[in-house]
Amino acid sequence: MQYQGLFALSLLASNLAWAGSVEELADKVQPQVVEWRHHFHQHPELSNREFQTAAYVAKYLKGLGLEVQTGVAKTGVVAVLDSGKPGPVVALRADMDALPVKEVNNLPYRSEVTGEYNGETVPVMHACGHDTHIAMLMGAAKVLVAMKGELKGKVKFIFQPAEEGAPVGEEGGAKLMVKEGVLKNPDVDVVFGLHINSQTDIGTVKYRAGGVMAAVDPFKIEVHGKQSHGAYPWMSVDPVVTSAQLVMALQTIVSREVKVIDNGAVVSVGMIKGGNRTNIIPAEVDLAGTVRTLNPKARELVYEAMARKVKGIADSMGATATLTMPYGDSYPITYNDPALMAKMLPTLSRTAGEGHVKEAQAVTGAEDFSFYQEKVPGLFLFVGGKPLDVPEDKAPSHHTPDFYVDDAGMELGVKLLSNLTLDYMQKS
């Protein structure tokens, strides 16, 4: 009891020293946020292997006096800040995993780490900015603990593993976190998430109501024919020619069936595999690819059209074909609830300032934040990390060896996470 009392007094004194507005507190914590980001960048870990990252985060959150749970969805960390007053439960999420990419940047905190991916030793790098996401959410946690007296309800801090996808044969990411109950006990009312962007100016936040990132539906088509000598094609049922017709027909789904002025969609075949000699028509050809859609109606249309075309073309050639979709991990649409977006847009404007809040174009990349948004209303926003003196077309893109975002971009992220929480609680 004596130790707990001393700890509580120490925490109270620390919080008093940190009194101030969100803007003032974000300015104060920024040096720590930068330090954390550099640490995580220098010590990246792959999906479902974020052991040291999780331990670092959990230790820090416990030091803030928060109720902390570890080992969620493999390596996830969840902490709850209880204001002691009735109100909504606001969840804030950051992803923690890095990528099998070799860094080429000449930074003092560059990654030299290797890890194991699909049985191979690979270089590891935070090539998508998840190091900044962890640091920004840690910074927001410190700000909101200091401002506990202004909160109503609870804040749930979600540090998620495996956003980039779990290793083969494993579950992971947001889907597993939801399955394990991360949105329950206490039940989450709303969820906010940020992604730093290497091609958006520092100090800018981008938003979009409705579908902002695409649903992902990988597919596989197995075409079965009849094998023959290549010199006697009339004795075959040729799965190669059938597959060629399928590839061309699939492209007409987007160009001729999807109403493209309203709905973005992509159907891409990324793999064709069949045969082993120049003079043998094989018995089977496999195709695989990905479908991306930005609203449920387009997704439903593509599913129906693919099944129709695969069967129809195979039948016309005397072959058989089996469509498996989804084939592997499938993500829902990252969908920003329009009513919630309208409610919180003033918060974005007040936080980033006039001229620094911009409507984003929808993108056909994907995010597993969408699994949270399937269950509760949520917003997923983009925060700028590009230095102002770098032209957009010269800024390195995500998932590349020279990926780079400036530390200065994180301060806006801390402010946004904090203000979105406070404002939502006040408006509820």
Side-chain angles (χ1 to χ4, degrees), residues 390-424:
V390 176
E392 183 178 335
D393 62 350
K394 301 295 183 185
S397 62
H398 293 242
H399 290 216
T400 61
D402 59 343
F403 172 80
Y404 173 78
V405 288
D406 196 287
D407 293 332
M410 295 187 290
E411 187 167 350
L412 176 59
V414 173
K415 292 177 181 179
L416 283 167
L417 291 169
S418 303
N419 278 332
L420 285 166
T421 302
L422 287 158
D423 289 1
Y424 183 84

Side-chain angles (χ1 to χ4, degrees), residues 219-225 238-254 267-269 271-272 284-288 305-317 319-324:
F219 66 87
K220 181 180 181 181
I221 303 170
E222 298 172 80
V223 181
H224 299 276
D238 193 336
V240 176
V241 174
T242 304
S243 297
Q245 292 194 35
L246 273 172
V247 171
M248 298 306 295
L250 294 178
Q251 304 314 302
T252 67
I253 296 174
V254 174
V267 179
S268 293
V269 177
M271 186 193 84
I272 303 175
E284 180 179 331
V285 172
D286 292 339
L287 299 85
M306 286 189 67
R308 169 169 35 88
K309 289 180 185 292
V310 168
K311 183 179 187 307
I313 288 172
D315 286 349
S316 73
M317 298 294 292
T320 60
T322 303
L323 170 65
T324 304

Side-chain angles (χ1 to χ4, degrees), residues 48-51 54 70-77 96 159-162:
N48 277 358
R49 304 294 184 269
E50 306 92 336
F51 302 113
T70 59
V72 184
K74 310 289 187 183
T75 58
V77 180
M96 302 191 295
F159 292 84
Q160 178 206 306

